């Protein structure tokens, strides 16, 4: 493991000391956690990387940019499916007649 030295002004040293005492951390662990958090904030998301590399919208389709608007497209398709499913479909005549015969027999 590598050892490094840092210089802190009085205010920053007081902030670090107070933070460590309040949270029961060593200065080393507090600084490691801060570095990890900072590195995580600066790390681009997969969507940001794909946009940077030109992967989103990189292919032509008849319907435009499918990836950028995928959420809206899924919602539209689900709404259309629900409206199709909610319309009652009339039973075919043969099936309805068969059901009536069974009901009369019981």
């Amino acid at each position: 493991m590598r050892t490094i030295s840092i210089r802190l002004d009085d205010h920053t040293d007081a902030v670090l000391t107070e933070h460590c005492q309040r949270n029961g951390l060593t200065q080393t662990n507090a600084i490691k956690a801060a570095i990890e958090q900072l590195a995580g904030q600066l790390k681009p998301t997969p969507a940001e990387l794909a946009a940077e590399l030109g992967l989103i919208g990189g292919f032509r389709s008849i319907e435009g940019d499918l990836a950028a608007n995928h959420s809206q497209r899924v919602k539209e398709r689900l709404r259309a499916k629900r409206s199709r499913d909610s319309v009652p479909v009339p039973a075919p005549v043969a099936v309805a007649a068969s059901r009536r015969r069974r009901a009369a027999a019981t």
Side-chain angles (χ1 to χ4, degrees):
M1 187 178 316
R2 183 173 152 212
T3 301
I4 62 170
S5 297
I6 60 170
R7 293 187 180 161
L8 302 176
D9 58 62
D10 292 338
H11 173 72
T12 305
D13 184 43
V15 169
L16 177 61
T17 302
E18 171 63 27
H19 176 76
C20 290
Q21 288 174 351
R22 192 173 349 112
N23 294 296
L25 297 170
T26 64
Q27 289 183 344
T28 298
N29 287 338
I31 292 172
K32 283 181 182 179
I35 291 170
E36 288 291 329
Q37 183 178 6
L38 180 62
Q41 290 174 353
L42 300 176
K43 185 177 176 183
T45 65
E48 292 169 338
L49 284 175
E52 263 182 49
L53 297 172
L55 299 176
I56 294 178
F59 302 98
R60 299 256 181 226
S61 73
I62 295 172
E63 299 179 39
D65 188 0
L66 300 176
N69 300 317
H70 73 280
S71 180
Q72 182 64 31
R73 295 180 53 73
V74 168
K75 288 176 187 175
E76 289 170 1
R77 290 190 181 192
L78 286 173
R79 282 189 199 112
K81 182 179 184 317
R82 280 191 206 119
S83 67
R84 280 193 315 265
D85 292 346
S86 65
V87 176
V89 178
V93 176
V95 173
S98 172
R99 287 182 185 156
R100 280 190 296 252
R101 277 185 250 132
R102 273 190 258 139
T106 56

